[in-house]
Each structure stands twice: as C-alpha cells, then as structure tokens.
Amino acid sequence: GAGVSQSPRYKVAKRGQDVALRCDPISGHVSLFWYQQALGQGPEFLTYFQNEAQLDKSGLPSDRFFAERPEGSVSTLKIQRTQQEDSAVYLCASSQDLANQPQHFGDGTRLSIL
Amino acid sequence: AQKVTQAQTEISVVEKEDVTLDCVYETRDTTYYLFWYKQPPSGELVFLIRRNSFDEQNEISGRYSWNFQKSTSSFNFTITASQVVDSAVYFCALSEAGYALNFGKGTSLLVTP
C-alpha cells in the first residue's frame, strides 16, 4: 500500500513477556518516528531514525525499550519484560526528509499488557 | 512542561455550526513549525496543515481555516458548517528541533445531526 503499515494491529501480552512491533514506512521516506499514545492523551515522541541511523532515542521510557531500522526501511520497536504501564498505542510515522516535512502515520499497534 | 496546550477537552456541536479549536504553544525558538492532525475513531493520525513560524498568513482549505498569531502564541483551527464526518480528536503539534512533534492532549469534537 501507499501508507505507513504497522503490525500487528493489536497485541496482548502477559506481564514480563517480550514484544516486537513492526513498522513499514512509505517507500522512499528517509525519516521514521515512533510515538507512544496513552489513552486519552496526545502521542509522545519515543525515537527517530534517519535512514538506518537512530539519531534520537531520548523519548524511550527505559532501557527495556529498543528500536532498530537496520536497512533503512522497516523498523522494529521491541519492548522487553513488559509491564502494565507499557499498555498504549504505539504509532509509527515517516516523512520524506528532516526539514519539518509532514509526518505520515500508520494505524498504530494497540498493546495491552495483562 | 507542556509545550502545546489545547484547553478544550471536548466540544459538542450540532451539524452546520461553526466551531473553533484552540491551540496555544510555548517555545523560545525563533524557527519552529506548527501542525494540526485529525484522529478519527479508526486511530490513524491524518495530517491537516503545517505552518512555519515566519508565515503568519492565515490559510483556508474548503471548510477548514487556520489563524496563526505569534503575538499570542496561538494557532487556532476553525471548521465552518461542521458535518458529522468531522467528529474526531484533533491534535495541535509543535516542532522545534526539526523532527520530533510535541503534541497537545487533543480536543475531542462531536458533531451531531
């Protein structure tokens, strides 16, 4: 498709399990972003990639969160030893380049930790 | 500290009414960008507009219009003749460093027939 694709759409995991969320950006988009959106709140920035380089990970809540984009296209957000407070919608966005171009978002992955 | 404030948590209007969504931002940068996004119940954030700090000209796109005033640090969004399909959560966002978006908490708009 032409848009940002995220999978899975929904993920339920037990506390303590590891999860991996996938993002397939718009073809040719250099920049890729991950955001976390808690219920009833605005999205909060987690991390940013330019091609395969992770240029900013200041928003990652803890060292249990890890993101990668090894070939400069698909990205994976991994959460280790999940906790209940990790329950949220994880949004991925991509844009053509750095210069404040509009970010195009996927539908998100709704993560529920039991 | 919250950099983007959307004071209206929920707004309910009847179809065909005009409605304005407020956005106040805070930044010390002279160069910055402001955005509005729409989030329908399906969850995907839909880009509506981008405005840079050097362009205070108001913009109109169909039933949508935006009023940017640097003097009051506001970037308000007006929907004219609202329709049921406009029901969604609307987010205002600020970009300072050139990439990360700082979102407000959003305004939930309900348009009833």
Side-chain angles (χ1 to χ4, degrees):
Chain A
V4 176
S5 177
Q6 291 188 246
S7 62
R9 188 77 172 89
Y10 302 93
K11 177 68 178 178
V12 179
K14 292 183 179 179
R15 185 164 54 93
Q17 289 183 332
D18 298 347
V19 298
L21 312 180
R22 176 189 168 100
C23 173
D24 200 339
I26 294 172
S27 179
H29 277 194
V30 170
S31 300
L32 185 145
F33 309 82
W34 284 98
Y35 292 84
Q36 180 191 59
Q37 186 174 21
L39 188 64
Q41 301 295 315
E44 293 192 357
F45 171 76
L46 294 177
T47 187
Y48 158 66
F49 290 86
Q50 187 174 7
N51 295 307
E52 69 279 2
Q54 188 175 21
L55 299 186
D56 188 344
K57 55 181 180 179
S58 62
L60 296 177
S62 76
D63 58 8
R64 296 186 295 105
F65 286 71
F66 171 76
E68 60 182 4
R69 194 187 184 196
E71 297 180 357
S73 56
V74 172
S75 176
T76 303
L77 176 66
K78 298 179 180 178
I79 310 174
Q80 298 177 327
R81 306 180 302 283
T82 53
Q83 300 178 6
Q84 285 194 324
E85 58 262 32
D86 299 335
S87 296
V89 175
Y90 291 85
L91 295 165
C92 177
S94 68
S95 67
Q96 290 183 324
D97 58 31
L98 173 63
N100 287 292
Q101 293 297 312
Q103 296 177 23
H104 299 273
F105 286 79
D107 289 339
T109 294
R110 183 176 297 276
L111 176 64
S112 298
I113 305 300
L114 305 179
Chain B
Q2 190 73 22
K3 293 189 175 185
V4 176
T5 301
Q6 295 181 255
Q8 304 149 310
T9 304
E10 295 181 354
I11 300 177
S12 182
V13 300
V14 177
E15 206 170 20
K16 299 184 182 178
E17 286 185 8
D18 298 347
V19 58
T20 296
L21 310 181
D22 298 334
C23 173
V24 175
Y25 62 92
E26 179 181 341
T27 181
R28 295 183 178 181
D29 291 1
T30 55
T31 302
Y32 54 90
Y33 288 76
L34 295 164
F35 300 79
W36 275 95
Y37 281 84
K38 174 182 180 180
Q39 189 173 43
S42 60
E44 180 181 354
L45 280 161
V46 178
F47 166 75
L48 296 178
I49 190 172
R50 177 190 65 170
R51 173 67 73 223
N52 74 58
S53 53
F54 299 106
D55 182 3
E56 285 194 74
Q57 186 174 6
N58 292 329
E59 183 158 338
I60 298 175
S61 176
R63 296 184 297 107
Y64 295 171
S65 63
W66 290 269
N67 184 311
F68 176 30
Q69 292 193 340
K70 290 179 71 172
S71 61
T72 56
S73 297
S74 65
F75 186 42
N76 295 338
F77 172 31
T78 297
I79 302 175
T80 302
S82 59
Q83 300 177 1
V84 173
V85 294
D86 295 327
S87 296
V89 180
Y90 291 85
F91 290 97
C92 179
L94 166 70
S95 175
E96 297 169 297
Y99 49 90
L101 293 174
N102 292 287
F103 285 87
K105 293 187 176 182
T107 297
S108 178
L109 174 64
L110 177 64
V111 182
T112 55

